[in-house]
Amino acid sequence: MIAVRRGCLVLLGCLGAWLAAPGAAWGGTGQESTFQDDNQLVFADPAALPGTMDRLKALGVDRLRVSVFWATVAPGADGEARPAFDATDPAAYPAGSWDRYDRIVRLAAARRLKVNFDVTSPAPHWATASLPGRPDLDKNFFPDPAEFGAFVTAAGKRYSGSYATSAGPLPRVSYWSVWNEPNQPGWLTPQWIDAGSAGVVEAAPSVYRGLVDAMWTALGATGHARDTILVGETAPKGQERAKGPTRALKPGRFIRRLYCQDDHLQFLKGTAAEARGCPRTPSASRFVADHPGLFAATGYAHHPYELAFAPDRRPATGDNFTTANLPELSTLLRRVSQRFGRTPKGGGVPLYLTEYGYQTDPPDPTGVSLAKQAAYLNQAEYLMWRNARVRTLTQFLLVDDKPVAGAATPLEAYGGTFQSGLLTRAGKAKPALKAYGLPVFLPQRSVRRGRRLRVWGLVRPATNGKAPTVQVQVRTGSAAYRTVRTVRGSSARGYVWATVPVRRSGALRLRWRGPGGVIMSRSVSFRVR
């Protein structure tokens, strides 16, 4: 769910009390703090990029998710005729076409920020098919997997760690994703096709299967076989009943068809299988051998957005997956694998949540308030900390998108863009900036008198390997905040999991003194009954 828009960098100014850093489940598997904002990274003014990276580093970000837009690098992307060039050779691409990505990897490496390259559409028109009357789909309609594989080969060579340019060797990229939101028509079409006697059937899973095959082979051939490679990158929801080239598939349906299974997890057969790009006669062992990336990938990437509802509010219908029902996604992935006689290591497929955020009002009238955005982000972080399958949760965006030009109403201006930034378009910090730096959440905001209040938090800027010392402060009535307990966070990532005594209703916050000064969490009210 990425709005691809160019935008000027809005400087954050001094973060002061909002510095922050990495996160991972205390006592569980590590969770990185990942951040994505292509406008501020991929399409930024090169002079502003170092400052943006410095600020993200200060916020405690571990990894940057970066969209590698195929058409942005490829020659003659708008034309139907393929240019004569060796698409597997990074030097054969137009001069300067890789520059934006070279800058990102160099600046990130200098700051010890890791990078996730998500190789995705728009594709060059010469590498896609066309749907009559729909030129708007030319950049993602039936992308050619062979041409995609050639492009990934070029990227794999360039970012292998041994490729040198006139500016010196380029750092290695060792973390990759295959295509963005293939179950959404904004990124891949057709979603459905008319297959004649088989009826209207799902097309996107078959197309995506070919893209995964191509990218897996290309990365393996360029020295990236042991890298982190993610498949899926699915959006959280799809159309309930509508079918057509641009009607989004629900992620549950998409996953089952990707692995050539029906709604009951039985292998598709005969005409039903053939129409969906699957073998007419199923063979589990052959399918695994033919599509190794679907089984040997590091994990499954998903975007568990709700955008306007609390993170624990379950989707209204099945086959949609948000932060509220991620265990159901894990169950589906495990059962799909087991149909092939394979049990995921540790009992479950690792989940990489590579986009997440909350739309705000202002400016989007369909979004949540600024205060709710901050609270919901902290609650989601807590819920993901509890989920042993989750490896990362990615904040999407830093700065709000610009509105649609010429829109007549706020809904038209902002409803189709992302207003999930921690800063407004004008660069003003939302409460979410502070909440991202030092998240805090109370699993129960009401306790009986004499009981202790459970507190969860994350000191995102704390140095990994050193347990941060955090003050839990409470205020009752009009009194000033006072420290009721000093606790040690986890050394792995700086998580706080403690109980504190409270006698009367009031508000609670966390306080931490780091190298950049004192930072405070948002205040959370609680009730003693």
Side-chain angles (χ1 to χ4, degrees), residues 445-448 453 502 504-506 525-529:
R445 292 177 61 181
S446 178
V447 296
R448 291 186 180 277
L453 187 67
V502 289
R504 291 184 293 170
S505 299
S525 63
F526 62 87
R527 184 169 70 92
V528 176
R529 61 188 192 278

Side-chain angles (χ1 to χ4, degrees), residues 336-463:
V336 163
S337 294
Q338 289 172 337
R339 289 290 295 126
F340 291 92
R342 303 171 69 91
T343 300
K345 185 177 180 181
V349 176
L351 295 179
Y352 291 76
L353 308 180
T354 48
E355 275 189 45
Y356 194 68
Y358 273 94
Q359 201 83 340
T360 61
D361 176 17
D364 180 5
T366 66
V368 301
S369 70
L370 299 183
K372 279 189 175 181
Q373 179 197 28
Y376 286 172
L377 287 177
N378 283 182
Q379 183 181 5
E381 195 109 42
Y382 165 74
L383 292 173
M384 298 308 98
W385 172 77
R386 292 178 55 186
N387 190 325
R389 303 280 176 240
V390 175
R391 300 294 185 266
T392 189
L393 180 63
T394 302
Q395 166 60 29
F396 181 80
L397 296 163
L398 177 61
V399 181
D400 283 350
D401 270 343
K402 59 185 177 183
V404 175
T409 67
L411 182 59
E412 292 175 358
Y414 296 104
T417 66
F418 271 76
Q419 310 303 316
S420 57
L422 305 182
L423 296 99
T424 68
R425 188 70 193 163
K428 181 179 179 181
K430 299 179 185 179
L433 181 64
K434 184 176 183 178
Y436 185 82
L438 187 56
V440 63
F441 183 73
L442 305 181
Q444 298 292 332
R445 292 177 61 181
S446 178
V447 296
R448 291 186 180 277
R449 192 175 304 278
R451 298 289 184 91
R452 296 170 71 88
L453 187 67
R454 174 65 70 178
V455 181
W456 174 89
L458 166 60
V459 188
R460 207 183 294 272
T463 302

Side-chain angles (χ1 to χ4, degrees), residues 74-323:
D78 293 330
E80 293 186 36
R82 184 191 187 282
F85 79 114
D86 181 359
T88 67
D89 180 3
Y93 287 74
S97 60
W98 297 98
D99 284 0
R100 66 186 76 243
Y101 298 109
D102 292 355
R103 273 193 298 271
I104 288 172
V105 297
R106 285 197 168 103
L107 290 170
R111 290 156 178 77
R112 295 186 179 180
L113 283 166
K114 293 170 280 190
V115 174
N116 167 16
F117 268 1
D118 175 35
V119 189
T120 189
S121 60
H125 185 25
W126 48 260
T128 67
S130 295
L131 181 64
R134 295 298 305 270
D136 56 309
L137 305 183
D138 285 348
K139 293 295 180 70
N140 68 20
F141 193 76
F142 280 121
D144 186 325
E147 292 288 2
F148 181 63
F151 176 63
V152 176
T153 298
K157 290 177 179 177
R158 191 173 188 92
Y159 302 106
S160 63
S162 59
Y163 190 88
T165 69
S166 59
L170 284 164
R172 178 182 176 85
V173 174
S174 56
Y175 197 118
W176 306 80
S177 296
V178 186
W179 212 269
N180 187 63
E181 297 193 344
N183 63 321
Q184 288 290 319
W187 297 97
L188 184 63
T189 55
Q191 291 286 302
W192 301 79
I193 57 170
D194 186 342
S197 62
V200 178
V201 303
E202 307 88 342
S206 175
V207 177
Y208 184 67
R209 195 182 309 123
L211 297 173
V212 171
D213 293 344
M215 186 159 173
W216 181 264
T217 300
L219 290 176
T222 53
H224 296 276
R226 296 187 177 182
D227 287 3
T228 295
I229 302 175
L230 307 180
V231 299
E233 292 291 354
T234 40
K237 298 179 181 180
Q239 293 283 339
E240 188 61 31
R241 294 184 180 84
K243 300 178 181 181
T246 59
R247 300 300 183 179
L249 283 163
K250 290 186 173 186
R253 177 187 286 267
F254 180 88
I255 291 167
R256 290 192 297 273
R257 301 302 184 267
L258 178 64
Y259 288 87
C260 291
Q261 296 177 21
D262 65 18
D263 290 345
H264 304 287
L265 300 180
Q266 301 302 307
F267 290 124
L268 294 167
K269 299 178 182 179
T271 302
E274 187 175 46
R276 293 168 172 85
C278 300
R280 290 184 63 91
T281 303
S283 166
S285 59
R286 173 58 66 87
F287 190 87
V288 172
D290 287 346
H291 308 288
L294 293 181
F295 299 91
T298 311
Y300 190 85
H302 185 63
H303 306 166
Y305 287 109
E306 257 303 354
L307 291 178
F309 299 119
D312 59 354
R313 172 170 165 165
R314 293 178 57 82
T317 59
D319 269 354
N320 293 324
F321 304 117
T322 67
T323 48

